[in-house]
Amino acid sequence: MSKSSFAEKVKIPEPILNLCSKNVLVMEYLSGKKLAVSIEEKLAAILGGDISAAIKVLKATQQSLDEESSLFFRVNVIIEESRADNTRYQKGLKAFQLLSMTRDARNKLSLLLDATGHQIFHDGIYNGDCHPGNILVLDDGLLGLIDYGQTRRLSHHDRLALARVVSSLGKRLPDAQEVADAMRKFGFRSRDDNVEIIAKNASLYFNSDIEGKRMGFATPQKYLQYLNSKDPMLHVPDPAVFVARTSFLFRGLGALLQQQIHTSPHWRKHAILAVAKNGKAHQLYNLGLTPISNY
């Protein structure tokens, strides 16, 4: 990623080779705050410096995306219940500060999604443990990705197979048959080879768990159990597991910001380029001139 445009915005610590061994990875120190801590502190400032209230609000927000769990709803309740004499101007200012904080955090999340997509599909090497504690807001304003103990490498074949799944899933109207075919080529196998269930598994793994929430399942695990009850997945290729985990970690961070994350639309452009560079551009481009959009 060091030669990409993301290098100007996202910092990857350099390994200190003379201190590394087969079992030990030593990398340069990056000075900054964890993204989660940065969000907590900004929210606490809006709430008059109450860090415990900020943490409580963020935890409650992350557990649900309904209206009464939203950041704006909960912060407004705290403001209304506080003893401070909040004028209409002060309330408006706090709302503006909250909106600004949320927009900034979401922009950072979008940048991280793009950078990770580049790592997965262009570099074939990515950080498989990008939870909020491993994302830093550096002193110079850049984002830092740390803790490469769970670095994962994708073979050329697996990268292209995954790219075909993600490019199919990332369309505005994904075709279940196309998605299922791409999943089979990646190595997924189910008992009944049910096209619809295979496509739903693909979406859960590499895009979003919103379908399960709409069906009333409280967690992705319960939704996965339901899918397996319909058509059990007999084989999941190992390379798919950590990519799926990465997708889930980003969704968790999105929930913290009251945002329903769909990873495939973010990663689709990187997936398309990966396939195009392999000489398959005619399948993805109109006459090689105009990229096909998310149709």
Side-chain angles (χ1 to χ4, degrees):
M1 197 175 76
S2 61
K3 296 181 180 180
S4 74
S5 60
F6 295 106
E8 300 176 357
K9 301 175 182 178
V10 180
K11 174 70 174 175
I12 307 296
E14 293 287 339
I16 304 175
L17 297 180
N18 64 317
L19 297 179
C20 295
S21 69
K22 183 178 179 180
N23 300 313
V24 177
L25 174 64
V26 180
M27 307 184 81
E28 70 173 309
Y29 174 77
L30 299 184
S31 179
K33 293 180 180 178
K34 294 180 179 180
L35 178 60
V37 172
S38 175
I39 293 173
E40 288 170 1
E41 291 181 349
K42 288 182 178 180
L43 182 56
I46 295 172
L47 296 175
D50 192 339
I51 191 68
S52 62
I55 294 173
K56 184 178 179 181
V57 165
L58 289 171
K59 284 185 176 179
T61 299
Q62 193 169 21
Q63 292 172 358
S64 175
L65 289 176
D66 61 48
E67 182 179 351
E68 292 190 357
S69 295
S70 72
L71 271 174
F72 289 94
F73 180 88
R74 290 184 175 274
V75 168
N76 188 59
V77 168
I78 291 176
I79 292 173
E80 291 293 340
E81 292 179 348
S82 68
R83 296 181 180 180
D85 183 18
N86 289 297
T87 64
R88 180 178 299 179
Y89 168 78
Q90 290 171 326
K91 291 178 181 178
L93 178 61
K94 290 179 185 295
F96 175 79
Q97 291 171 333
L98 182 60
L99 180 63
S100 177
M101 181 205 79
T102 304
R103 182 182 294 117
D104 177 67
R106 288 183 176 180
N107 286 341
K108 286 182 169 63
L109 177 56
S110 181
L111 172 61
L112 288 169
L113 275 165
D114 262 350
T116 301
H118 179 89
Q119 287 182 315
I120 291 172
F121 296 104
H122 179 79
D123 299 332
I125 302 174
Y126 66 99
N127 187 336
D129 197 24
C130 54
H131 61 74
N134 286 340
I135 301 169
L136 303 181
V137 179
L138 303 182
D139 296 340
D140 60 6
L142 298 180
L143 292 179
L145 292 178
I146 62 171
D147 191 354
Y148 279 76
Q150 294 290 352
T151 299
R152 287 295 181 269
R153 183 188 295 271
L154 292 174
S155 70
H156 182 68
H157 170 271
D158 290 332
R159 203 186 318 173
L160 292 177
L162 174 65
R164 292 185 178 95
V165 174
V166 169
S167 62
S168 298
L169 273 176
K171 297 177 181 178
R172 289 197 184 98
L173 297 173
D175 179 78
Q177 183 66 61
E178 182 184 358
V179 173
D181 287 344
M183 288 283 279
R184 295 188 193 102
K185 290 177 181 178
F186 195 1
F188 283 84
R189 296 289 181 271
S190 68
R191 184 190 64 194
D192 303 326
D193 201 29
N194 184 300
V195 168
E196 181 181 357
I197 298 301
I198 293 175
K200 288 181 181 295
N201 270 284
S203 185
L204 178 61
Y205 270 71
F206 306 118
N207 189 33
S208 168
D209 51 306
I210 186 64
E211 181 66 24
K213 291 178 180 177
R214 287 172 179 164
M215 295 176 67
F217 294 101
T219 66
Q221 290 80 6
K222 291 186 181 298
Y223 179 46
L224 180 60
Q225 290 172 3
Y226 163 78
L227 294 177
N228 279 325
S229 73
K230 295 296 183 180
D231 183 13
M233 194 63 67
L234 302 179
H235 180 70
V236 176
D238 289 340
V241 175
F242 261 83
V243 177
R245 181 176 187 270
T246 301
S247 176
F248 274 101
L249 288 172
F250 276 118
R251 291 177 228 173
L253 186 53
L256 184 71
L257 302 171
Q258 204 67 17
Q259 185 178 15
Q260 183 68 52
I261 294 294
H262 293 73
T263 49
S264 282
H266 280 275
W267 290 347
R268 186 173 188 254
K269 59 186 175 184
H270 303 290
I272 287 176
L273 286 174
V275 177
K277 287 181 179 179
N278 193 51
K280 303 294 184 181
H282 62 279
Q283 296 180 5
L284 297 168
Y285 285 70
N286 294 322
L287 303 178
L289 299 174
T290 307
I292 295 176
S293 63
N294 297 346
Y295 50 88

